[in-house]
Amino acid sequence: MMNKWGKRIGYGIGDLGCNLVFSTMVSYLMVFYTDVFGISAAAAGTMMLVTKFIDAFTDTGMGLLVDRTHTRWGQGRPYFVIGAVPFAIFTVLTFMIPDFGSTGKLIWAYITYCLLCTAYTVVNIPLNTIVPRLTSDVHERDILVSTRMVCAMAGTAIVMTITSPLVKFFGKGNDARGYLITMSIYGVAAMLIFFVTFACTKEVVQPTVSQKHTSLREDFKGLTGQAWILFLLNFFYFSLYVVRSTTVIYYFKYNLGRENWLSLVGLLGILSGLPMLLLLPELEKHFSKRSLMLFSAALYVAGDLVIFAGQSNAFCLLLGLCITGLGIYGIFGITFCMQPDVIDYSEYTKNASVSGLIAAVQGFFVKGGMGLTSFIIGAFLKSGGYVANEMQTEKALSYIEICFIWVPIILCAAIAILTYFYKLDNIRDEMTEALEARRNAS
């Protein structure tokens, strides 16, 4: 039992390490660039769009590399060690503010952010691919994914709860120094965590077919229609995540005048999703992933409407955050529980082992969605007349409200429509039996 939980926790905390930096990038990097680094919201949004699409292509390359990696440590595990140190270094460099002038600083931001995203790709793509290699037991996979989601949520909770206090503590009035020291701590902690993930996991389930000598064109033929549904679900989920995580700071700071609530808001909005993640493995025994995804999207919409209806009421605000927390982490957990099924489905129907490619294209859609959403938020705030650290106009406040309340509702509707076409719940057992038979035969 201890070995089993050691594997679960060892795998799961890999995403805690990722999220110490990833969640900071999502929630604080835009504010850091506009209010501390000293570039405009539009320039920051454009940079995030451009760099994310560059990063999306590096994801594809990393996925293809994982599919073609065959070592005694497995296909994905070696990259936890390879990427750990660069991840820490580029985290620190991204939050340095050089004295290069406005153009030089913008170039520095582009380069360091690209390098950090690449380092993140090196460790995160393998983390996404190895679940089908850790076990063939479907319920155990669900537990591994849920453990990972809980750890990811813990990382996000840490970021949303203590980042601002740490910046103030270390900065002592100098936010630039505060961010640099805080992110140095996060980067080193993440590096050590990746070493632990490597030590605690082992790839024991071999694919029924090798992609070692296949071409890129042949690999893409291994993608199924269900894989493209998964990719689009990731696109809309991470767009939702970016909108919520970024605009909640603006909404509570400017629209509600409750900046002092941000630590509480971050903690409550995140930890409220913990019950959903803990219950997911049990819920998936009784309900299909499709049904749970639709329910989670509906929960988020309901919570958003509660926040809108009770803007001046503290109870309604906190209740709405709790409900949206349950919804967004339900979507999060179920999306990642779908991934091993989609990987198996390619192997089952196309006789193709393309777990790395699936994770890569999934990453492409994730990064594309995040970059596009960040760009749209920056452009939208600019068109609304947003000015950093100033009293906002009524138009600017209304634009912030649209971003925080109404855009997520549209994204949840898109997620629900896509989920309607997901069909792997009904053939999960059939796939498992067929793939086990092939492994036994070989």
Side-chain angles (χ1 to χ4, degrees), residues 235-236 239-241 243 373 406-416:
F235 178 90
F236 287 115
S239 295
L240 174 65
Y241 179 73
V243 170
T373 303
W406 302 110
V407 172
I409 290 177
I410 294 171
L411 292 171
C412 284
I415 288 169

Side-chain angles (χ1 to χ4, degrees), residues 4 7-8 131-132 134-146 205 280-282 284-285 287 289 336-342 344 422 424-436 439:
K4 185 174 287 188
K7 178 180 70 174
R8 292 168 179 171
V131 171
L134 298 179
T135 178
S136 58
D137 182 272
V138 175
H139 183 59
E140 179 63 20
R141 288 180 180 181
D142 290 340
I143 294 175
L144 282 167
V145 171
S146 291
V205 179
L280 267 183
E282 189 62 30
E284 285 171 338
K285 289 182 179 179
F287 302 98
K289 293 181 177 70
F336 278 88
C337 284
M338 287 176 173
Q339 188 193 44
D341 293 348
V342 169
D344 280 354
Y422 181 78
L424 298 188
D425 292 311
N426 296 329
I427 61 170
R428 176 63 267 180
D429 292 341
E430 179 185 325
M431 285 196 297
T432 301
E433 292 174 7
L435 292 175
E436 282 298 319
R439 291 188 187 99

Side-chain angles (χ1 to χ4, degrees), residues 33 88 120 158 179 203 271 404 423 437:
Y33 278 141
Y120 176 83
I158 289 169
Y179 271 107
E203 297 180 40
L271 292 185
F404 182 66
K423 67 176 186 179

